[in-house]
Amino acid sequence: MKNTGIIYNSTDRTPTILPEMAELLPPLTGEQIAALEADILKNGCYSPVIVNEDMVIIDGHNRQRLCEQHGLPYQMAVFSFENMLEAKQWALDTQKGRRNLDKWELGKIALRLKPDIEARARENMSAGGGDQKSEDAKSGLVNSSNPISPVNTRKEMAQAVGIGEQTMGRIAQISEYGPPAVKDALDSGDLSINQGYNITRQVQELPEEQREEAAALAVALEKAKKEIRQSDAESDRRHKIAGLFCKAFERAVLLTPTEENVRIWTQCTRMTPVEIEDSAKESRELAEVFSTIAGILETMLPAETDGTEGRCEHGQPGMA
């Protein structure tokens, strides 16, 4: 890849939109598109659209579409790529840092790169005399004792998007054999790749007419398990918070802050002047914390209360 330094204005040249480039990455969400549109309308298209030497858009499809939609000018920077695979890899590497793509999405992108990776593999085999079709191979210019190694397509796809080879293999299996219910659940984030792969394997053993229904039931079961786990985790979180507040109140009420008791505390712990100063500061901060808690509790009180509701086991105010 090389930046040629050539810049075109949209008023002078018209770029070409290649579907395989435009659809390489998942579309932006409605919120992301709205934010990009607002930015372009306010500040203009300050980032150039990247095109190759044939004027095919490599990066910036959304910016280009929004500019055309609103009749706004934009610039195009010309980059030189060895082939479309390199162009796609560059676009992917550029966008990965801007988007939060999970492994399933990355795997689907890798599968879109598969034809280009396989084409490169065939070129390598031909250049190395693997199929005896290249002119160099026929003329004997290639050293047949050191042929080019065949390309491991799955490994190449995995490396292209930065995921593990085993994960890539499972994504490929799901993509080819997975029922729609499994793929939809992976798209929505309701299933992990391992779960989707296991369901796909299980239903493959069933008669074809039963697979979709079985997959839908399996997906529903995994969703239910996930909801239960999330509910349990939320319950644990709430109980931990309630426990911290109960303990804080329990310990605080045991303190009798007389001058004598405070002096005993500092003397027995052999506090230095610096430590006394720090403790005084922390005490005031704690006072602010409890003052804030008191304010929140007061807003929660009904017009009339006997003060007995919502108490934890130690007799201190608890969390509902």
Side-chain angles (χ1 to χ4, degrees):
M1 184 276 294
K2 177 184 178 183
N3 185 347
T4 67
I6 299 173
I7 299 288
Y8 291 122
N9 292 315
S10 58
T11 53
D12 302 325
R13 300 289 295 271
T14 301
T16 298
I17 299 175
L18 198 63
E20 65 184 85
M21 284 300 311
E23 298 167 7
L24 177 65
L25 295 166
L28 296 179
T29 64
E31 184 179 350
Q32 290 170 328
I33 283 289
L36 179 60
E37 184 175 27
D39 183 47
I40 288 176
L41 290 174
K42 180 180 179 180
N43 303 306
C45 188
Y46 47 83
S47 296
V49 173
I50 307 300
V51 298
N52 67 6
E53 292 173 304
D54 294 324
M55 294 301 295
V56 172
I57 296 179
I58 305 301
D59 181 60
H61 293 87
N62 293 300
R63 296 196 301 278
Q64 188 268 347
R65 180 177 60 80
L66 289 170
C67 286
E68 292 288 351
Q69 179 180 324
H70 293 286
L72 298 174
Y74 57 92
Q75 290 188 322
M76 292 168 283
V78 181
F79 281 42
S80 175
F81 298 93
E82 183 178 343
N83 49 43
M84 287 307 295
L85 178 58
E86 184 184 38
K88 291 174 182 178
Q89 183 70 66
W90 181 85
L92 172 61
D93 292 342
T94 300
Q95 288 293 331
K96 275 174 66 177
R98 304 174 188 170
R99 303 200 195 183
N100 185 23
L101 301 175
D102 61 27
K103 290 182 179 180
W104 170 246
E105 291 170 324
L106 290 170
K108 291 196 295 182
I109 293 170
L111 290 172
R112 298 186 191 112
L113 298 176
K114 185 177 180 180
D116 298 283
I117 292 174
E118 289 176 335
R120 185 179 66 184
R122 289 192 294 270
E123 291 175 4
N124 287 352
M125 290 293 290
S126 179
D131 58 7
Q132 298 299 313
K133 291 180 181 178
S134 72
E135 292 301 317
D136 287 346
K138 291 177 182 178
S139 64
L141 295 177
V142 174
N143 182 1
S144 59
S145 64
N146 186 27
I148 297 176
S149 301
V151 172
N152 182 331
T153 305
R154 188 173 76 176
K155 183 178 180 179
E156 290 284 326
M157 288 193 296
Q159 290 179 342
V161 297
I163 61 178
E165 189 177 345
Q166 184 184 57
T167 299
M168 185 68 248
R170 295 190 169 190
I171 291 171
Q173 290 289 313
I174 297 170
S175 179
E176 185 171 358
Y177 302 111
V182 170
K183 296 176 183 178
D184 290 344
L186 281 162
D187 286 338
S188 62
D190 290 321
L191 282 186
S192 69
I193 291 171
N194 286 341
Q195 289 170 331
Y197 175 71
N198 289 334
I199 293 174
T200 297
R201 287 185 60 192
Q202 290 165 8
V203 300
Q204 282 298 115
E205 299 174 359
L206 299 174
E208 187 173 353
E209 65 272 12
Q210 298 178 15
R211 292 174 188 171
E212 181 55 38
E213 182 180 1
L217 289 173
V219 168
L221 178 60
E222 290 299 336
K223 285 183 180 180
K225 291 179 180 178
K226 181 179 180 181
E227 290 174 0
I228 291 171
R229 288 193 296 268
Q230 290 175 339
S231 176
D232 288 344
E234 175 61 14
S235 178
D236 288 343
R237 185 187 72 86
R238 290 171 61 86
H239 278 85
K240 286 179 181 177
I241 291 174
L244 286 173
F245 272 70
C246 286
K247 288 178 181 178
F249 272 87
E250 182 183 56
R251 292 171 181 175
V253 297
L254 293 175
L255 298 176
T256 305
T258 63
E259 181 176 349
E260 179 186 7
N261 287 345
V262 172
R263 288 186 181 278
I264 290 172
W265 171 41
T266 59
Q267 291 168 358
C268 289
T269 56
R270 299 182 181 180
M271 284 191 190
T272 66
V274 173
E275 290 172 335
I276 292 174
E277 184 178 358
D278 289 343
S279 296
K281 182 180 178 181
E282 290 175 359
S283 297
R284 295 192 184 282
E285 290 173 351
L286 287 171
E288 291 180 7
V289 170
F290 278 95
S291 177
T292 301
I293 292 173
I296 295 172
L297 288 172
E298 288 168 353
T299 65
M300 298 166 60
L301 287 172
E304 294 182 4
T305 179
D306 60 6
T308 60
E309 295 86 353
R311 304 183 75 84
C312 68
E313 61 179 289
H314 298 295
Q316 301 301 330
M319 298 288 288

